[in-house]
């Protein structure tokens, strides 16, 4: 980065004070090819007057679709079914074989009711007549009126939900917010889906809960670390389905992300306001 005017970063690139020091005075903009920007030290960027951009909105539908895919796959035990087919354990049709959870009319808990959380809620409330609980910094009247949502505490959400989908951005307050204590509130029949950031969940605690039958299943598009080591205990659990962070992996979403990232980068290099800026903290 030495001498660069702009950095195009991926969510897997940590852009911290050390990188910014290496870039030096010439750096004007960090354009992150993602909507999440937990990989960028925005306080350091703000202190140095460096603009930071992200790629909001254009991956909302793609990510919401993956959350629903994981929820269905985990509820209906697709991983176990597929493994039974390829291993030859599928011998016959069984009345009790691979029995999973129904979706219709169940309670959905959305942790973090931002754009993606809302898109997931729309799909499941309209498609499967689910009842909606959610957490967010404040109640969202439009969610309450259009989707019948109810703003609740994390504890209430975990106690009452049959399906939980996590949509929190990662920061110091949300790291491991779903820890062993929180998981103890969940129903043993609960299906947990995470398409946000792996570090929001205490993965060791999740692994224990899944192994001990305290949760029915988990579907994870994100984990900690990424890539997940192939000897991770999570991968040994039949009730855990892990994907390689593909929430936004559709042709149109990735093209649109690339376009937004390029627009931010070019604007920043020319010293213009970014079209998709990340709000930076005020400097003292
Ligand atoms: C993002 O943009 O933050 C997503 O996690 C990428 O899929």
């Amino acid at each position: 980065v030495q001498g660069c005017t702009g950095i195009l970063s991926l969510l897997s690139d940590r852009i911290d004070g050390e990188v910014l020091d290496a870039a030096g005075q010439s750096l004007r903009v960090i354009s992150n090819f993602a909507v999440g920007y937990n990989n960028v030290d925005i306080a350091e960027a703000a202190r140095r007057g460096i603009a930071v951009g992200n790629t909001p909105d254009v991956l909302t539908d793609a990510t919401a679709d993956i959350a629903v895919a994981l929820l269905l796959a985990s509820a209906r035990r697709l991983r176990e079914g597929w493994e039974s087919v390829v291993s030859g354990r599928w011998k016959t049709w069984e009345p009790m074989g691979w029995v999973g959870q129904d979706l219709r009319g169940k309670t959905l808990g959305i942790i973090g009711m931002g754009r993606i959380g809302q898109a997931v809620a729309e799909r499941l409330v309209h498609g499967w007549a689910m009842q909606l609980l959610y957490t967010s910094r404040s109640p969202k009247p439009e969610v309450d009126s259009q989707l019948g949502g109810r703003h609740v505490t994390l504890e209430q959400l975990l106690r009452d939900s049959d399906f939980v989908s996590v949509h929190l951005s990662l920061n110091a307050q949300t790291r491991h917010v779903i820890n062993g204590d929180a998981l103890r509130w969940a129903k043993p029949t609960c299906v947990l889906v995470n398409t946000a950031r792996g570090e929001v969940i205490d993965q060791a605690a999740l692994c224990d809960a899944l192994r001990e039958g305290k949760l029915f299943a988990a579907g994870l598009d994100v984990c900690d670390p990424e890539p997940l080591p192939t000897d991770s205990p999570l991968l040994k659990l039949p009730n855990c389905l892990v994907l390689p962070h593909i929430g936004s992996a559709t042709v149109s979403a990735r093209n649109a992300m690339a376009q937004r990232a390029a627009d931010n980068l070019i604007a920043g290099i020319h010293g213009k306001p970014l079209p998709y800026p990340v709000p930076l903290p005020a400097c003292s």
Side-chain angles (χ1 to χ4, degrees), residues 60-69 71 108-110 112-128 130 132 147 164-167 193 195:
T60 301
D61 282 326
T63 309
D65 288 347
I66 277 287
V68 174
L71 191 143
L108 169 69
I110 298 281
M113 189 53 96
R115 286 173 287 240
I116 299 173
Q118 201 162 325
V120 172
E122 278 162 16
R123 283 157 173 73
L124 293 167
V125 168
H126 292 147
W128 281 271
M130 287 198 183
L132 177 63
L147 299 172
V164 172
S165 193
V166 180
H167 301 285
V193 167
T195 53

PDB file of all heavy atoms in Angstrom, residues 60-69 71 108-110 112-128 130 132 147 164-167 193 195:
ATOM      1  N   THR A  60     -28.548  -7.348  -0.468  1.00  0.00           N
ATOM      2  CA  THR A  60     -29.586  -7.657   0.516  1.00  0.00           C
ATOM      3  C   THR A  60     -30.374  -8.908   0.113  1.00  0.00           C
ATOM      4  O   THR A  60     -30.533  -9.842   0.914  1.00  0.00           O
ATOM      5  CB  THR A  60     -30.541  -6.444   0.653  1.00  0.00           C
ATOM      6  OG1 THR A  60     -29.768  -5.322   1.064  1.00  0.00           O
ATOM      7  CG2 THR A  60     -31.635  -6.704   1.661  1.00  0.00           C
ATOM      8  N   ASP A  61     -30.881  -8.935  -1.117  1.00  0.00           N
ATOM      9  CA  ASP A  61     -31.716 -10.072  -1.535  1.00  0.00           C
ATOM     10  C   ASP A  61     -30.912 -11.366  -1.597  1.00  0.00           C
ATOM     11  O   ASP A  61     -31.380 -12.411  -1.151  1.00  0.00           O
ATOM     12  CB  ASP A  61     -32.350  -9.785  -2.903  1.00  0.00           C
ATOM     13  CG  ASP A  61     -33.551  -8.850  -2.752  1.00  0.00           C
ATOM     14  OD1 ASP A  61     -34.253  -8.938  -1.737  1.00  0.00           O
ATOM     15  OD2 ASP A  61     -33.755  -8.024  -3.650  1.00  0.00           O
ATOM     16  N   ALA A  62     -29.704 -11.276  -2.155  1.00  0.00           N
ATOM     17  CA  ALA A  62     -28.881 -12.493  -2.278  1.00  0.00           C
ATOM     18  C   ALA A  62     -28.599 -13.080  -0.896  1.00  0.00           C
ATOM     19  O   ALA A  62     -28.691 -14.302  -0.683  1.00  0.00           O
ATOM     20  CB  ALA A  62     -27.569 -12.168  -3.004  1.00  0.00           C
ATOM     21  N   THR A  63     -28.284 -12.228   0.068  1.00  0.00           N
ATOM     22  CA  THR A  63     -27.944 -12.714   1.410  1.00  0.00           C
ATOM     23  C   THR A  63     -29.184 -13.239   2.126  1.00  0.00           C
ATOM     24  O   THR A  63     -29.132 -14.271   2.811  1.00  0.00           O
ATOM     25  CB  THR A  63     -27.261 -11.591   2.218  1.00  0.00           C
ATOM     26  OG1 THR A  63     -26.194 -11.064   1.430  1.00  0.00           O
ATOM     27  CG2 THR A  63     -26.706 -12.103   3.534  1.00  0.00           C
ATOM     28  N   ALA A  64     -30.300 -12.535   1.944  1.00  0.00           N
ATOM     29  CA  ALA A  64     -31.549 -13.012   2.562  1.00  0.00           C
ATOM     30  C   ALA A  64     -31.925 -14.387   1.992  1.00  0.00           C
ATOM     31  O   ALA A  64     -32.401 -15.267   2.724  1.00  0.00           O
ATOM     32  CB  ALA A  64     -32.668 -12.009   2.332  1.00  0.00           C
ATOM     33  N   ASP A  65     -31.706 -14.585   0.704  1.00  0.00           N
ATOM     34  CA  ASP A  65     -32.026 -15.888   0.102  1.00  0.00           C
ATOM     35  C   ASP A  65     -31.171 -17.004   0.717  1.00  0.00           C
ATOM     36  O   ASP A  65     -31.662 -18.105   0.971  1.00  0.00           O
ATOM     37  CB  ASP A  65     -31.797 -15.850  -1.420  1.00  0.00           C
ATOM     38  CG  ASP A  65     -32.853 -15.014  -2.147  1.00  0.00           C
ATOM     39  OD1 ASP A  65     -33.884 -14.676  -1.531  1.00  0.00           O
ATOM     40  OD2 ASP A  65     -32.634 -14.703  -3.334  1.00  0.00           O
ATOM     41  N   ILE A  66     -29.892 -16.700   0.948  1.00  0.00           N
ATOM     42  CA  ILE A  66     -29.016 -17.728   1.555  1.00  0.00           C
ATOM     43  C   ILE A  66     -29.452 -18.019   2.989  1.00  0.00           C
ATOM     44  O   ILE A  66     -29.423 -19.174   3.440  1.00  0.00           O
ATOM     45  CB  ILE A  66     -27.529 -17.279   1.503  1.00  0.00           C
ATOM     46  CG1 ILE A  66     -26.938 -17.605   0.133  1.00  0.00           C
ATOM     47  CG2 ILE A  66     -26.700 -17.936   2.592  1.00  0.00           C
ATOM     48  CD1 ILE A  66     -26.662 -19.081  -0.135  1.00  0.00           C
ATOM     49  N   ALA A  67     -29.885 -16.993   3.711  1.00  0.00           N
ATOM     50  CA  ALA A  67     -30.359 -17.228   5.089  1.00  0.00           C
ATOM     51  C   ALA A  67     -31.562 -18.176   5.062  1.00  0.00           C
ATOM     52  O   ALA A  67     -31.653 -19.109   5.873  1.00  0.00           O
ATOM     53  CB  ALA A  67     -30.713 -15.905   5.764  1.00  0.00           C
ATOM     54  N   VAL A  68     -32.493 -17.938   4.133  1.00  0.00           N
ATOM     55  CA  VAL A  68     -33.681 -18.804   4.045  1.00  0.00           C
ATOM     56  C   VAL A  68     -33.270 -20.208   3.597  1.00  0.00           C
ATOM     57  O   VAL A  68     -33.782 -21.212   4.115  1.00  0.00           O
ATOM     58  CB  VAL A  68     -34.734 -18.184   3.095  1.00  0.00           C
ATOM     59  CG1 VAL A  68     -35.897 -19.134   2.879  1.00  0.00           C
ATOM     60  CG2 VAL A  68     -35.233 -16.864   3.666  1.00  0.00           C
ATOM     61  N   ALA A  69     -32.326 -20.284   2.667  1.00  0.00           N
ATOM     62  CA  ALA A  69     -31.849 -21.600   2.210  1.00  0.00           C
ATOM     63  C   ALA A  69     -31.243 -22.383   3.381  1.00  0.00           C
ATOM     64  O   ALA A  69     -31.524 -23.572   3.571  1.00  0.00           O
ATOM     65  CB  ALA A  69     -30.816 -21.430   1.092  1.00  0.00           C
ATOM     66  N   LEU A  71     -31.874 -21.917   6.552  1.00  0.00           N
ATOM     67  CA  LEU A  71     -32.930 -22.213   7.523  1.00  0.00           C
ATOM     68  C   LEU A  71     -33.710 -23.463   7.090  1.00  0.00           C
ATOM     69  O   LEU A  71     -33.919 -24.392   7.891  1.00  0.00           O
ATOM     70  CB  LEU A  71     -33.822 -20.985   7.617  1.00  0.00           C
ATOM     71  CG  LEU A  71     -34.839 -20.931   8.736  1.00  0.00           C
ATOM     72  CD1 LEU A  71     -34.971 -19.505   9.256  1.00  0.00           C
ATOM     73  CD2 LEU A  71     -36.184 -21.408   8.250  1.00  0.00           C
ATOM     74  N   LEU A 108     -40.377 -16.692  14.273  1.00  0.00           N
ATOM     75  CA  LEU A 108     -39.064 -16.327  13.730  1.00  0.00           C
ATOM     76  C   LEU A 108     -38.477 -15.203  14.571  1.00  0.00           C
ATOM     77  O   LEU A 108     -39.155 -14.198  14.824  1.00  0.00           O
ATOM     78  CB  LEU A 108     -39.247 -15.835  12.278  1.00  0.00           C
ATOM     79  CG  LEU A 108     -38.035 -15.165  11.622  1.00  0.00           C
ATOM     80  CD1 LEU A 108     -36.932 -16.193  11.370  1.00  0.00           C
ATOM     81  CD2 LEU A 108     -38.440 -14.490  10.310  1.00  0.00           C
ATOM     82  N   GLY A 109     -37.230 -15.353  14.972  1.00  0.00           N
ATOM     83  CA  GLY A 109     -36.529 -14.290  15.691  1.00  0.00           C
ATOM     84  C   GLY A 109     -35.423 -13.732  14.820  1.00  0.00           C
ATOM     85  O   GLY A 109     -34.536 -14.476  14.383  1.00  0.00           O
ATOM     86  N   ILE A 110     -35.479 -12.431  14.549  1.00  0.00           N
ATOM     87  CA  ILE A 110     -34.427 -11.782  13.757  1.00  0.00           C
ATOM     88  C   ILE A 110     -33.583 -10.951  14.719  1.00  0.00           C
ATOM     89  O   ILE A 110     -34.095 -10.013  15.354  1.00  0.00           O
ATOM     90  CB  ILE A 110     -35.028 -10.867  12.665  1.00  0.00           C
ATOM     91  CG1 ILE A 110     -35.874 -11.672  11.671  1.00  0.00           C
ATOM     92  CG2 ILE A 110     -33.941 -10.065  11.964  1.00  0.00           C
ATOM     93  CD1 ILE A 110     -35.106 -12.433  10.626  1.00  0.00           C
ATOM     94  N   GLY A 112     -31.120  -8.266  14.960  1.00  0.00           N
ATOM     95  CA  GLY A 112     -30.542  -7.207  14.124  1.00  0.00           C
ATOM     96  C   GLY A 112     -31.437  -6.938  12.929  1.00  0.00           C
ATOM     97  O   GLY A 112     -31.269  -7.555  11.875  1.00  0.00           O
ATOM     98  N   MET A 113     -32.405  -6.020  13.106  1.00  0.00           N
ATOM     99  CA  MET A 113     -33.408  -5.789  12.053  1.00  0.00           C
ATOM    100  C   MET A 113     -32.962  -4.665  11.121  1.00  0.00           C
ATOM    101  O   MET A 113     -33.598  -3.612  11.037  1.00  0.00           O
ATOM    102  CB  MET A 113     -34.754  -5.483  12.718  1.00  0.00           C
ATOM    103  CG  MET A 113     -35.935  -5.419  11.784  1.00  0.00           C
ATOM    104  SD  MET A 113     -36.121  -6.867  10.760  1.00  0.00           S
ATOM    105  CE  MET A 113     -37.316  -7.822  11.681  1.00  0.00           C
ATOM    106  N   GLY A 114     -31.857  -4.906  10.408  1.00  0.00           N
ATOM    107  CA  GLY A 114     -31.433  -3.964   9.359  1.00  0.00           C
ATOM    108  C   GLY A 114     -32.032  -4.418   8.032  1.00  0.00           C
ATOM    109  O   GLY A 114     -33.025  -5.153   7.998  1.00  0.00           O
ATOM    110  N   ARG A 115     -31.387  -3.969   6.941  1.00  0.00           N
ATOM    111  CA  ARG A 115     -31.927  -4.283   5.600  1.00  0.00           C
ATOM    112  C   ARG A 115     -32.055  -5.784   5.358  1.00  0.00           C
ATOM    113  O   ARG A 115     -33.070  -6.265   4.861  1.00  0.00           O
ATOM    114  CB  ARG A 115     -31.008  -3.695   4.521  1.00  0.00           C
ATOM    115  CG  ARG A 115     -31.109  -2.204   4.361  1.00  0.00           C
ATOM    116  CD  ARG A 115     -30.042  -1.724   3.395  1.00  0.00           C
ATOM    117  NE  ARG A 115     -28.747  -1.791   4.028  1.00  0.00           N
ATOM    118  CZ  ARG A 115     -27.938  -0.751   4.229  1.00  0.00           C
ATOM    119  NH1 ARG A 115     -28.281   0.425   3.802  1.00  0.00           N
ATOM    120  NH2 ARG A 115     -26.771  -0.890   4.831  1.00  0.00           N
ATOM    121  N   ILE A 116     -30.989  -6.530   5.713  1.00  0.00           N
ATOM    122  CA  ILE A 116     -31.005  -7.965   5.397  1.00  0.00           C
ATOM    123  C   ILE A 116     -31.965  -8.693   6.336  1.00  0.00           C
ATOM    124  O   ILE A 116     -32.749  -9.555   5.896  1.00  0.00           O
ATOM    125  CB  ILE A 116     -29.577  -8.561   5.439  1.00  0.00           C
ATOM    126  CG1 ILE A 116     -28.685  -7.860   4.405  1.00  0.00           C
ATOM    127  CG2 ILE A 116     -29.603 -10.070   5.174  1.00  0.00           C
ATOM    128  CD1 ILE A 116     -27.211  -8.229   4.449  1.00  0.00           C
ATOM    129  N   GLY A 117     -31.943  -8.332   7.607  1.00  0.00           N
ATOM    130  CA  GLY A 117     -32.872  -8.949   8.551  1.00  0.00           C
ATOM    131  C   GLY A 117     -34.319  -8.759   8.103  1.00  0.00           C
ATOM    132  O   GLY A 117     -35.142  -9.685   8.155  1.00  0.00           O
ATOM    133  N   GLN A 118     -34.607  -7.562   7.615  1.00  0.00           N
ATOM    134  CA  GLN A 118     -35.964  -7.260   7.172  1.00  0.00           C
ATOM    135  C   GLN A 118     -36.327  -8.077   5.923  1.00  0.00           C
ATOM    136  O   GLN A 118     -37.453  -8.570   5.804  1.00  0.00           O
ATOM    137  CB  GLN A 118     -36.063  -5.764   6.881  1.00  0.00           C
ATOM    138  CG  GLN A 118     -37.468  -5.271   6.899  1.00  0.00           C
ATOM    139  CD  GLN A 118     -37.539  -3.762   7.060  1.00  0.00           C
ATOM    140  OE1 GLN A 118     -36.727  -3.147   7.751  1.00  0.00           O
ATOM    141  NE2 GLN A 118     -38.518  -3.162   6.410  1.00  0.00           N
ATOM    142  N   ALA A 119     -35.360  -8.248   5.025  1.00  0.00           N
ATOM    143  CA  ALA A 119     -35.626  -9.025   3.797  1.00  0.00           C
ATOM    144  C   ALA A 119     -35.873 -10.499   4.140  1.00  0.00           C
ATOM    145  O   ALA A 119     -36.704 -11.169   3.512  1.00  0.00           O
ATOM    146  CB  ALA A 119     -34.457  -8.889   2.822  1.00  0.00           C
ATOM    147  N   VAL A 120     -35.174 -11.009   5.149  1.00  0.00           N
ATOM    148  CA  VAL A 120     -35.406 -12.396   5.591  1.00  0.00           C
ATOM    149  C   VAL A 120     -36.799 -12.498   6.217  1.00  0.00           C
ATOM    150  O   VAL A 120     -37.565 -13.423   5.929  1.00  0.00           O
ATOM    151  CB  VAL A 120     -34.316 -12.845   6.601  1.00  0.00           C
ATOM    152  CG1 VAL A 120     -34.656 -14.191   7.217  1.00  0.00           C
ATOM    153  CG2 VAL A 120     -32.959 -12.908   5.910  1.00  0.00           C
ATOM    154  N   ALA A 121     -37.122 -11.514   7.055  1.00  0.00           N
ATOM    155  CA  ALA A 121     -38.439 -11.523   7.710  1.00  0.00           C
ATOM    156  C   ALA A 121     -39.553 -11.479   6.671  1.00  0.00           C
ATOM    157  O   ALA A 121     -40.542 -12.218   6.778  1.00  0.00           O
ATOM    158  CB  ALA A 121     -38.539 -10.336   8.666  1.00  0.00           C
ATOM    159  N   GLU A 122     -39.407 -10.629   5.649  1.00  0.00           N
ATOM    160  CA  GLU A 122     -40.451 -10.547   4.599  1.00  0.00           C
ATOM    161  C   GLU A 122     -40.683 -11.906   3.963  1.00  0.00           C
ATOM    162  O   GLU A 122     -41.815 -12.343   3.761  1.00  0.00           O
ATOM    163  CB  GLU A 122     -40.029  -9.548   3.515  1.00  0.00           C
ATOM    164  CG  GLU A 122     -40.315  -8.117   3.888  1.00  0.00           C
ATOM    165  CD  GLU A 122     -39.527  -7.118   3.042  1.00  0.00           C
ATOM    166  OE1 GLU A 122     -38.983  -7.494   1.977  1.00  0.00           O
ATOM    167  OE2 GLU A 122     -39.455  -5.956   3.469  1.00  0.00           O
ATOM    168  N   ARG A 123     -39.586 -12.591   3.625  1.00  0.00           N
ATOM    169  CA  ARG A 123     -39.717 -13.906   2.973  1.00  0.00           C
ATOM    170  C   ARG A 123     -40.453 -14.898   3.877  1.00  0.00           C
ATOM    171  O   ARG A 123     -41.331 -15.634   3.435  1.00  0.00           O
ATOM    172  CB  ARG A 123     -38.315 -14.449   2.634  1.00  0.00           C
ATOM    173  CG  ARG A 123     -37.700 -13.779   1.408  1.00  0.00           C
ATOM    174  CD  ARG A 123     -36.174 -13.892   1.442  1.00  0.00           C
ATOM    175  NE  ARG A 123     -35.562 -13.418   0.210  1.00  0.00           N
ATOM    176  CZ  ARG A 123     -35.466 -12.137  -0.151  1.00  0.00           C
ATOM    177  NH1 ARG A 123     -35.972 -11.196   0.609  1.00  0.00           N
ATOM    178  NH2 ARG A 123     -34.866 -11.801  -1.287  1.00  0.00           N
ATOM    179  N   LEU A 124     -40.097 -14.917   5.146  1.00  0.00           N
ATOM    180  CA  LEU A 124     -40.629 -15.968   6.021  1.00  0.00           C
ATOM    181  C   LEU A 124     -42.010 -15.622   6.583  1.00  0.00           C
ATOM    182  O   LEU A 124     -42.824 -16.521   6.811  1.00  0.00           O
ATOM    183  CB  LEU A 124     -39.620 -16.265   7.139  1.00  0.00           C
ATOM    184  CG  LEU A 124     -38.333 -16.911   6.603  1.00  0.00           C
ATOM    185  CD1 LEU A 124     -37.234 -16.897   7.654  1.00  0.00           C
ATOM    186  CD2 LEU A 124     -38.578 -18.330   6.133  1.00  0.00           C
ATOM    187  N   VAL A 125     -42.274 -14.343   6.770  1.00  0.00           N
ATOM    188  CA  VAL A 125     -43.615 -13.955   7.249  1.00  0.00           C
ATOM    189  C   VAL A 125     -44.623 -14.136   6.110  1.00  0.00           C
ATOM    190  O   VAL A 125     -45.691 -14.717   6.298  1.00  0.00           O
ATOM    191  CB  VAL A 125     -43.596 -12.499   7.772  1.00  0.00           C
ATOM    192  CG1 VAL A 125     -45.013 -11.972   7.994  1.00  0.00           C
ATOM    193  CG2 VAL A 125     -42.795 -12.425   9.074  1.00  0.00           C
ATOM    194  N   HIS A 126     -44.250 -13.658   4.910  1.00  0.00           N
ATOM    195  CA  HIS A 126     -45.198 -13.775   3.793  1.00  0.00           C
ATOM    196  C   HIS A 126     -45.265 -15.205   3.254  1.00  0.00           C
ATOM    197  O   HIS A 126     -46.317 -15.681   2.880  1.00  0.00           O
ATOM    198  CB  HIS A 126     -44.812 -12.811   2.658  1.00  0.00           C
ATOM    199  CG  HIS A 126     -45.001 -11.372   3.048  1.00  0.00           C
ATOM    200  ND1 HIS A 126     -44.212 -10.349   2.594  1.00  0.00           N
ATOM    201  CD2 HIS A 126     -45.890 -10.783   3.885  1.00  0.00           C
ATOM    202  CE1 HIS A 126     -44.611  -9.203   3.123  1.00  0.00           C
ATOM    203  NE2 HIS A 126     -45.621  -9.447   3.919  1.00  0.00           N
ATOM    204  N   GLY A 127     -44.123 -15.883   3.221  1.00  0.00           N
ATOM    205  CA  GLY A 127     -44.082 -17.210   2.599  1.00  0.00           C
ATOM    206  C   GLY A 127     -44.540 -18.336   3.517  1.00  0.00           C
ATOM    207  O   GLY A 127     -45.130 -19.316   3.056  1.00  0.00           O
ATOM    208  N   TRP A 128     -44.262 -18.209   4.816  1.00  0.00           N
ATOM    209  CA  TRP A 128     -44.566 -19.319   5.729  1.00  0.00           C
ATOM    210  C   TRP A 128     -45.419 -18.880   6.930  1.00  0.00           C
ATOM    211  O   TRP A 128     -45.482 -19.591   7.930  1.00  0.00           O
ATOM    212  CB  TRP A 128     -43.249 -19.949   6.223  1.00  0.00           C
ATOM    213  CG  TRP A 128     -42.615 -20.871   5.229  1.00  0.00           C
ATOM    214  CD1 TRP A 128     -42.844 -22.213   5.096  1.00  0.00           C
ATOM    215  CD2 TRP A 128     -41.642 -20.544   4.232  1.00  0.00           C
ATOM    216  NE1 TRP A 128     -42.081 -22.717   4.068  1.00  0.00           N
ATOM    217  CE2 TRP A 128     -41.340 -21.719   3.521  1.00  0.00           C
ATOM    218  CE3 TRP A 128     -40.999 -19.360   3.860  1.00  0.00           C
ATOM    219  CZ2 TRP A 128     -40.415 -21.749   2.470  1.00  0.00           C
ATOM    220  CZ3 TRP A 128     -40.093 -19.384   2.818  1.00  0.00           C
ATOM    221  CH2 TRP A 128     -39.809 -20.571   2.134  1.00  0.00           C
ATOM    222  N   MET A 130     -45.008 -16.906   9.320  1.00  0.00           N
ATOM    223  CA  MET A 130     -44.345 -16.940  10.633  1.00  0.00           C
ATOM    224  C   MET A 130     -44.697 -15.711  11.469  1.00  0.00           C
ATOM    225  O   MET A 130     -44.989 -14.642  10.934  1.00  0.00           O
ATOM    226  CB  MET A 130     -42.831 -17.011  10.447  1.00  0.00           C
ATOM    227  CG  MET A 130     -42.362 -18.362   9.966  1.00  0.00           C
ATOM    228  SD  MET A 130     -40.606 -18.541  10.267  1.00  0.00           S
ATOM    229  CE  MET A 130     -40.330 -20.148   9.546  1.00  0.00           C
ATOM    230  N   LEU A 132     -43.326 -12.863  14.009  1.00  0.00           N
ATOM    231  CA  LEU A 132     -42.005 -12.222  13.987  1.00  0.00           C
ATOM    232  C   LEU A 132     -41.653 -11.519  15.298  1.00  0.00           C
ATOM    233  O   LEU A 132     -42.385 -10.648  15.765  1.00  0.00           O
ATOM    234  CB  LEU A 132     -41.981 -11.197  12.836  1.00  0.00           C
ATOM    235  CG  LEU A 132     -40.707 -10.366  12.679  1.00  0.00           C
ATOM    236  CD1 LEU A 132     -39.504 -11.262  12.365  1.00  0.00           C
ATOM    237  CD2 LEU A 132     -40.891  -9.316  11.586  1.00  0.00           C
ATOM    238  N   LEU A 147     -45.174  -6.275   8.952  1.00  0.00           N
ATOM    239  CA  LEU A 147     -44.843  -7.694   9.118  1.00  0.00           C
ATOM    240  C   LEU A 147     -45.333  -8.262  10.446  1.00  0.00           C
ATOM    241  O   LEU A 147     -45.037  -9.411  10.776  1.00  0.00           O
ATOM    242  CB  LEU A 147     -43.319  -7.891   9.011  1.00  0.00           C
ATOM    243  CG  LEU A 147     -42.686  -7.481   7.666  1.00  0.00           C
ATOM    244  CD1 LEU A 147     -41.166  -7.524   7.743  1.00  0.00           C
ATOM    245  CD2 LEU A 147     -43.171  -8.409   6.558  1.00  0.00           C
ATOM    246  N   VAL A 164     -34.089 -18.713  14.462  1.00  0.00           N
ATOM    247  CA  VAL A 164     -33.397 -17.462  14.784  1.00  0.00           C
ATOM    248  C   VAL A 164     -32.401 -17.177  13.667  1.00  0.00           C
ATOM    249  O   VAL A 164     -31.600 -18.046  13.298  1.00  0.00           O
ATOM    250  CB  VAL A 164     -32.658 -17.588  16.138  1.00  0.00           C
ATOM    251  CG1 VAL A 164     -31.781 -16.368  16.389  1.00  0.00           C
ATOM    252  CG2 VAL A 164     -33.663 -17.764  17.284  1.00  0.00           C
ATOM    253  N   SER A 165     -32.470 -15.970  13.134  1.00  0.00           N
ATOM    254  CA  SER A 165     -31.534 -15.597  12.078  1.00  0.00           C
ATOM    255  C   SER A 165     -30.758 -14.356  12.521  1.00  0.00           C
ATOM    256  O   SER A 165     -31.350 -13.368  12.950  1.00  0.00           O
ATOM    257  CB  SER A 165     -32.315 -15.333  10.782  1.00  0.00           C
ATOM    258  OG  SER A 165     -31.439 -15.267   9.684  1.00  0.00           O
ATOM    259  N   VAL A 166     -29.431 -14.432  12.417  1.00  0.00           N
ATOM    260  CA  VAL A 166     -28.564 -13.384  12.972  1.00  0.00           C
ATOM    261  C   VAL A 166     -28.143 -12.411  11.868  1.00  0.00           C
ATOM    262  O   VAL A 166     -27.621 -12.833  10.829  1.00  0.00           O
ATOM    263  CB  VAL A 166     -27.306 -14.021  13.614  1.00  0.00           C
ATOM    264  CG1 VAL A 166     -26.394 -12.946  14.187  1.00  0.00           C
ATOM    265  CG2 VAL A 166     -27.700 -15.020  14.692  1.00  0.00           C
ATOM    266  N   HIS A 167     -28.366 -11.113  12.122  1.00  0.00           N
ATOM    267  CA  HIS A 167     -28.045 -10.069  11.124  1.00  0.00           C
ATOM    268  C   HIS A 167     -27.405  -8.857  11.780  1.00  0.00           C
ATOM    269  O   HIS A 167     -27.746  -7.719  11.462  1.00  0.00           O
ATOM    270  CB  HIS A 167     -29.322  -9.678  10.370  1.00  0.00           C
ATOM    271  CG  HIS A 167     -29.922 -10.848   9.675  1.00  0.00           C
ATOM    272  ND1 HIS A 167     -29.393 -11.374   8.524  1.00  0.00           N
ATOM    273  CD2 HIS A 167     -30.944 -11.664  10.021  1.00  0.00           C
ATOM    274  CE1 HIS A 167     -30.082 -12.451   8.176  1.00  0.00           C
ATOM    275  NE2 HIS A 167     -31.019 -12.653   9.075  1.00  0.00           N
ATOM    276  N   VAL A 193     -29.507 -19.606  12.424  1.00  0.00           N
ATOM    277  CA  VAL A 193     -28.839 -19.317  11.149  1.00  0.00           C
ATOM    278  C   VAL A 193     -28.007 -18.052  11.317  1.00  0.00           C
ATOM    279  O   VAL A 193     -28.457 -17.080  11.928  1.00  0.00           O
ATOM    280  CB  VAL A 193     -29.907 -19.125  10.046  1.00  0.00           C
ATOM    281  CG1 VAL A 193     -29.303 -18.519   8.788  1.00  0.00           C
ATOM    282  CG2 VAL A 193     -30.580 -20.454   9.730  1.00  0.00           C
ATOM    283  N   THR A 195     -25.779 -15.417   8.896  1.00  0.00           N
ATOM    284  CA  THR A 195     -25.211 -14.982   7.613  1.00  0.00           C
ATOM    285  C   THR A 195     -24.510 -13.633   7.793  1.00  0.00           C
ATOM    286  O   THR A 195     -24.258 -12.938   6.812  1.00  0.00           O
ATOM    287  CB  THR A 195     -26.327 -14.829   6.546  1.00  0.00           C
ATOM    288  OG1 THR A 195     -27.357 -13.979   7.072  1.00  0.00           O
ATOM    289  CG2 THR A 195     -26.916 -16.161   6.155  1.00  0.00           C
TER     290      THR A 195
END
